[in-house]
Amino acid sequence: MSEQTCEILVSGIVQGIGYRPFVYNLAVELGVKGNVMNLGDAGVRIIAQANKEILQRFIVLLEERKPLLCIYESFDVQWEKSQPKLNAFEIAKSSTEKKGLGFSYLPPDISICDKCLNEIDSDDSRRADYPFNSCVDCGPRYTVIEKLPYDRPNTVMQEFPFCDECYIDYTNSKDRRFHAQTTCCTKCGPVYTLYNSNGDEISFADQKKLAKFVASEIEKGKIVAVKGIGGTHLACSTMIDDTLLQLREAKGKRKFKPFAIMAKNIPSIEEFATINSYEEEQLTSFRRPIMLLQRSKNYNLSEWVAPGLHNIGVMLPYAGIHYMILKEMSEPTMVMTSANPSNFPMYIENSEIIENLPYVDYFLLHNRTIFQRNDDSVIRINHIGGQLSQKFLRRSRGWVPEPLLSHLDVGHQTLLGIGAEMHLIPSLMKGSKIIPSQHIGTVTLLETYENMLKAIEHLLKLNDANVDAIAYDMHPQYLTTTSISEIADLFGAKELVQFQHHEAHIASVALENRIEPNEEIIGVALDGTGYGRDGKIWGGEIFVGPVYNLRRVGHLEEFALPGGDVAVKYPLRSLISLLTHTYSSDEIISITSNLQKYLPKGIDEIHFILNQLEKGTYSTSQITTSTGRFLDSVSVFLDICGEQTYEGEPAIRLEGCGMDLSDDNGIPKTVIPYEKTGKEYILKISEIFPQIIAFKKNYSVSQISYATQQALGQSLGGIANEIKEETGISKVLVSGGVSLNSIIIDEIAKTINTRNNKIYTNEKVSPGDGGISVGQVYLLALNNQRNF
């Protein structure tokens, strides 16, 4: 049978996962001649020569046996009419050639695999007790890549030339390190070094003794800065109150904000938290996110790990050094919280780590460059209408830079959604791919702003792209808004388009769920802050229309925010404002007398607030329909939380207070009425407070907490049902940070499901502001392509 030749061009996740070694070994097995080559846009080209039957089998097996992390976006086979006879199959030198495959499709940072862990634990392995052990199936990717194609000289590993033995592994087609770009060992790779609080090096005979010392010091109550894959953590005991309080004091704005912890394994987690099979699957996946888990009744860690909360953020080890430290500890867990202060970029340079953390007892630092910061991802699982739903609080390490796929193709244009201000994650779009960056944080500081620009610049450089147009938020005071001309000049963008905050939230859901642009939907956006089209602060909005032209048809009852942002920190201010809708000043003073402790100036401040509200001395931008501020008001009214020490705290603790009451037993029947005024539905949230006062006599705080959140969800679902009946619209999309609240979102879904409606939510990006850039860039694409 005569030999034939074909060219196979593939895109997707095909670089950085051992794809070329896989193709090589398959070709050798089948007797196929030719070559496989990385391309400059992260695609791969295969030239294959054999008889047609073998080639067809080769093509089938490329799909059936592909590596675990491989995802084909396109797989194009072209049969060649004639080709010189080839004598062998080889891995060709990577090319900078680009095949117009759109954005590069690179793998995220991958947790260490079991085979590499076994080598670390094996005395017979030359990589025994070596924390940087990795292979073609695991290890850092995005944080080490400088440019494409993905080859060692284009990564930070260029600083560590192969030793003879590692080079043999790298070139051996039968070895799992065949063309594994991060391959190294104790002779040629990076190493950890321990420094004391003065920055002086502490010498150890090997990395095992170093890890054993660190483990011992953690259990003694010491705080250790640990440089990892994408940044630096602070590690300490989860059992010692004094250490945790010391860490909270040293970190400044961490009075009550929860710390993430790392546990040895699943049985260790089961000692203090409940875990279902889906949560276990995520925790043990190669992505290794922080998972928010319900505390169990047997919770045995310090209360100061996550004070006042019903859940706790837990992750499993994902780097060799994590396993080595935990292996030496008798305690099954350790705190692993970001070393940087809130809103600052993660520390990645050894000098800045030592300089900026004077309260740390030890510094465990390595000498491998972190080319891109990449924080831990955070996930929770919500029950929504009887179904489990994954929710991102933060999408970063383990996912970035994987793209989302849109049903809209913008061709060769490159679009940028910059995001809002908090939890910023910019997104780029080209062709049908949208790439959200790693988590940047809240952009109010110059350092974080510059980190945002570097992250965008890196993604553009990887993809050899220039920005054509930018989507940004309407809020006039966000740094991303005031600096938008500078951002446009930096990236060469010619077009700038503003989009309303909550409309972008809804658009992100539409993109995820591939809802046709012209289809009319009902959108429910629930969050804390978003600049409205009328200059007021929105946050409890109901929309109708196609996603590119939403009409506001409902919202929470408006109320003033006395002092603006001060009312966010002290929610009693918002509560007083809401109470004025029903009660006189004297009645409010009586009702809130036991809550004056939550204001710096006590009763005098209450009098001042009432006087200001009576005079109406507040601006348009201090009028809000915020769901977050309403929940904060309920939280302080029930004496659950009266001061916000971290974002969302009062509302988060309100949710936690009601989480154990998930059935109807003993829950008071609470109603938040709504009315239609003209063409708008108004949710009369102020009418909940007389009910709460009446319920306090016979019900617990937990029962009232659950009932209030349940009533809010039911009323929102009820409005959606009425709109559905009036318009015939069937799809309801819900987004915004408050939609993370499991009680509210579940009640919306259950209310709608009673009438056979499905609820659409975010699962691939955060429903909070971390996902808003995806909505922005999608709206920008729709704005530029109205020929659907």
Side-chain angles (χ1 to χ4, degrees):
M1 187 179 294
S2 62
E3 291 191 335
Q4 296 191 27
T5 303
C6 65
E7 178 189 67
I8 305 169
L9 190 65
V10 297
S11 68
I13 297 187
V14 289
Q15 286 194 28
I17 57 166
Y19 187 75
R20 288 178 300 166
F22 154 70
V23 174
Y24 174 90
N25 285 319
L26 179 61
V28 170
E29 175 188 331
L30 297 180
V32 174
K33 308 299 191 293
N35 63 70
V36 57
M37 174 190 295
N38 274 347
L39 299 175
D41 52 8
V44 168
R45 180 171 58 201
I46 303 166
I47 301 296
Q49 190 176 86
N51 67 56
K52 190 163 187 177
E53 183 179 345
I54 290 176
L55 287 179
Q56 288 173 332
R57 177 66 176 158
F58 178 63
I59 291 167
V60 169
L61 292 179
L62 284 173
E63 170 60 37
E64 290 183 354
R65 293 189 191 174
K66 68 180 187 292
L68 177 65
L69 299 179
C70 175
I71 297 175
Y72 290 135
E73 182 191 17
S74 65
F75 191 103
D76 182 50
V77 180
Q78 296 290 330
W79 294 91
E80 304 288 337
K81 292 182 178 179
S82 62
Q83 184 81 11
K85 184 175 177 61
L86 304 174
N87 298 317
F89 198 92
E90 64 180 5
I91 295 179
K93 183 179 179 181
S94 295
S95 169
T96 58
E97 178 186 2
K98 299 178 185 294
K99 280 290 190 176
L101 299 172
F103 274 163
S104 302
Y105 206 145
L106 294 168
D109 297 306
I110 304 166
S111 64
I112 188 170
C113 69
D114 290 340
K115 290 180 181 178
C116 285
L117 275 178
N118 290 337
E119 289 175 338
I120 291 176
D121 284 336
S122 173
D123 292 336
D124 297 329
S125 169
R126 67 186 183 87
R127 294 182 174 90
D129 302 310
Y130 182 57
F132 295 93
N133 193 19
S134 68
C135 68
V136 76
D137 294 323
C138 71
R141 296 292 191 271
Y142 185 64
T143 52
V144 300
I145 295 172
E146 296 182 5
K147 60 183 179 180
L148 291 175
Y150 177 62
D151 289 312
R152 194 179 183 98
N154 295 336
T155 74
V156 300
M157 291 303 293
Q158 64 180 303
E159 302 168 15
F160 303 97
F162 288 125
C163 66
D164 291 342
E165 290 171 294
C166 281
Y167 186 72
I168 291 172
D169 293 340
Y170 182 81
T171 55
N172 179 3
S173 65
K174 303 302 181 185
D175 195 288
R176 76 177 196 280
R177 293 183 173 84
F178 184 40
H179 281 258
Q181 307 306 330
T182 55
T183 292
C184 56
C185 70
T186 54
K187 293 181 181 178
C188 62
V191 294
Y192 271 101
T193 303
L194 190 69
Y195 302 88
N196 64 18
S197 57
N198 295 320
D200 300 322
E201 182 178 338
I202 304 173
S203 298
F204 293 90
D206 54 46
Q207 302 275 280
K208 181 177 182 178
K209 289 185 173 61
L210 181 153
K212 188 171 185 176
F213 177 83
V214 169
S216 174
E217 292 300 293
I218 288 174
E219 292 189 304
K220 290 177 183 177
K222 303 299 184 182
I223 299 171
V224 183
V226 182
K227 185 179 177 183
I229 289 176
T232 304
H233 289 103
L234 295 178
C236 71
S237 171
T238 59
M239 303 291 187
I240 304 173
D241 287 352
D242 288 346
T243 301
L244 290 163
L245 289 169
Q246 176 191 342
L247 182 56
R248 290 190 174 282
E249 178 68 24
K251 286 206 72 177
K253 298 179 181 179
R254 292 302 290 253
K255 186 176 180 180
F256 297 115
K257 190 174 182 179
F259 291 140
I261 68 171
M262 184 174 281
K264 287 183 179 180
N265 47 39
I266 295 297
S268 299
I269 295 174
E270 291 173 333
E271 293 179 12
F272 58 83
T274 61
I275 179 171
N276 61 39
S277 59
Y278 188 88
E279 290 165 337
E280 180 174 346
E281 181 183 344
Q282 290 297 310
L283 279 166
T284 57
S285 73
F286 71 86
R287 301 182 190 277
R288 289 291 198 276
I290 297 171
M291 181 70 68
L292 290 190
L293 302 175
Q294 286 284 115
R295 290 194 193 190
S296 68
K297 294 180 179 178
N298 301 320
Y299 180 84
N300 58 1
L301 309 180
S302 169
E303 181 60 32
W304 288 104
V305 171
L309 296 183
H310 62 290
N311 52 22
I312 184 168
V314 188
M315 59 182 155
L316 291 175
Y318 57 85
I321 193 65
H322 301 153
Y323 284 93
M324 291 174 65
I325 293 173
L326 283 166
K327 180 183 176 182
E328 301 295 339
M329 291 176 62
S330 58
E331 296 176 12
T333 58
M334 61 181 174
V335 166
M336 287 290 273
T337 188
S338 296
N340 52 289
S342 296
N343 302 333
F344 279 83
M346 299 182 76
Y347 296 146
I348 57 174
E349 299 289 345
N350 290 358
S351 58
E352 70 173 348
I353 295 168
I354 294 174
E355 180 181 347
N356 291 313
L357 299 173
Y359 54 87
V360 166
D361 297 298
Y362 298 101
F363 300 91
L364 182 57
L365 310 179
H366 61 70
N367 59 336
R368 184 177 67 198
T369 300
I370 297 175
F371 195 73
Q372 281 292 302
R373 296 173 171 88
N374 207 359
D375 210 343
D376 299 314
S377 295
V378 184
I379 288 176
R380 67 180 289 177
I381 305 300
N382 279 356
H383 291 264
I384 302 180
Q387 302 293 321
L388 293 178
S389 179
Q390 172 181 289
K391 300 297 172 193
F392 279 100
L393 281 76
R394 182 165 70 213
R395 182 186 186 273
S396 202
R397 179 190 52 77
W399 275 269
V400 174
E402 287 183 7
L404 307 174
L405 296 181
S406 170
H407 52 303
L408 184 70
D409 192 318
V410 298
H412 294 292
Q413 276 191 313
T414 300
L415 310 180
L416 168 63
I418 205 73
E421 180 178 77
M422 303 184 74
H423 309 294
L424 196 84
I425 293 178
S427 292
L428 290 166
M429 183 175 187
K430 186 175 185 178
S432 60
K433 294 176 186 171
I434 297 176
I435 302 181
S437 81
Q438 68 268 45
H439 170 77
I440 303 298
T442 297
V443 181
T444 54
L445 302 170
L446 180 60
E447 293 91 339
T448 314
Y449 173 74
E450 290 177 345
N451 184 41
M452 173 195 75
L453 297 179
K454 289 178 181 177
I456 297 169
E457 186 176 23
H458 181 56
L459 284 173
L460 290 170
K461 182 180 177 182
L462 283 178
N463 293 283
D464 192 24
N466 295 301
V467 176
D468 295 295
I470 301 177
Y472 64 108
D473 197 89
M474 292 177 66
H475 200 299
Q477 295 177 353
Y478 284 171
L479 183 57
T480 52
T481 303
T482 59
S483 303
I484 195 65
S485 295
E486 175 186 316
I487 296 170
D489 289 344
L490 179 64
F491 297 123
K494 304 301 183 185
E495 182 183 5
L496 302 173
V497 185
Q498 284 186 307
F499 293 100
Q500 201 280 322
H501 189 92
H502 302 96
E503 294 170 18
H505 272 311
I506 300 303
S508 71
V509 183
L511 178 280
E512 275 196 39
N513 291 278
R514 304 178 77 83
I515 292 171
E516 288 300 319
N518 275 329
E519 182 175 359
E520 295 221 340
I521 56 94
I522 299 167
V524 181
L526 310 171
D527 66 4
T529 299
Y531 194 76
R533 291 189 176 277
D534 56 5
K536 298 173 183 176
I537 301 302
W538 291 3
E541 313 307 315
I542 302 171
F543 300 100
V544 166
V547 68
Y548 64 86
N549 188 27
L550 293 173
R551 307 182 306 278
R552 189 192 194 205
V553 297
H555 54 81
L556 268 60
E557 177 181 14
E558 291 183 349
F559 59 100
L561 290 174
D565 288 345
V566 180
V568 178
K569 181 173 177 61
Y570 299 107
L572 181 52
R573 286 174 163 262
S574 297
L575 172 62
I576 291 169
S577 175
L578 279 163
L579 290 175
T580 61
H581 293 212
T582 307
Y583 298 100
S584 68
S585 292
D586 289 342
E587 287 173 321
I588 292 171
I589 290 169
S590 175
I591 291 169
T592 60
S593 60
N594 66 319
L595 302 174
Q596 60 178 285
K597 59 188 176 183
Y598 291 125
L599 292 175
K601 296 181 181 179
I603 190 65
D604 290 341
E605 194 164 340
I606 293 176
H607 282 290
F608 176 79
I609 293 166
L610 286 168
N611 184 52
Q612 294 296 100
L613 288 169
E614 186 176 341
K615 291 180 178 178
T617 51
Y618 44 81
S619 65
T620 300
S621 63
Q622 290 177 314
I623 299 172
T624 189
T625 55
S626 167
T627 309
R629 302 294 80 80
F630 164 64
L631 295 174
D632 291 350
S633 300
V634 176
S635 184
V636 69
F637 197 36
L638 293 174
D639 209 2
I640 296 170
C641 181
E643 180 185 355
Q644 184 188 96
T645 65
Y646 59 88
E647 193 219 341
E649 180 183 6
I652 291 169
R653 292 179 63 180
L654 177 72
E655 179 194 10
C657 189
M659 280 299 290
D660 292 332
L661 300 173
S662 57
D663 56 46
D664 293 332
N665 295 329
I667 298 174
K669 181 58 178 175
T670 311
V671 176
I672 299 179
Y674 55 86
E675 62 184 24
K676 192 170 184 181
T677 304
K679 296 183 179 180
E680 285 192 335
Y681 287 90
I682 308 296
L683 199 58
K684 307 289 285 185
I685 53 175
S686 63
E687 295 189 23
I688 194 70
F689 296 103
Q691 298 174 64
I692 292 176
I693 291 172
F695 292 145
K696 281 184 176 182
K697 299 175 183 178
N698 300 309
Y699 295 96
S700 69
V701 169
S702 294
Q703 290 170 315
I704 299 171
S705 169
Y706 185 89
T708 303
Q709 294 167 90
Q710 181 185 54
L712 179 61
Q714 289 172 345
S715 294
L716 289 165
I719 294 173
N721 280 334
E722 285 197 14
I723 295 172
K724 188 261 184 186
E725 290 178 358
E726 292 176 4
T727 63
I729 297 172
S730 62
K731 290 187 170 107
V732 179
L733 284 59
V734 185
S735 189
V738 172
S739 71
L740 288 165
N741 182 299
S742 58
I743 299 172
I744 295 171
I745 192 70
D746 189 41
E747 289 299 327
I748 293 174
K750 287 192 294 188
T751 303
I752 292 173
N753 281 340
T754 60
R755 306 196 182 183
N756 299 318
N757 269 354
K758 179 181 178 181
I759 185 172
Y760 295 83
T761 62
N762 294 104
E763 291 191 341
K764 297 177 182 177
V765 298
S766 172
D769 283 6
I772 206 164
S773 66
V774 169
Q776 289 176 338
V777 80
Y778 180 49
L779 287 172
L780 181 58
L782 290 172
N783 187 69
N784 290 353
Q785 290 193 11
R786 287 293 176 81
N787 55 338
F788 316 126

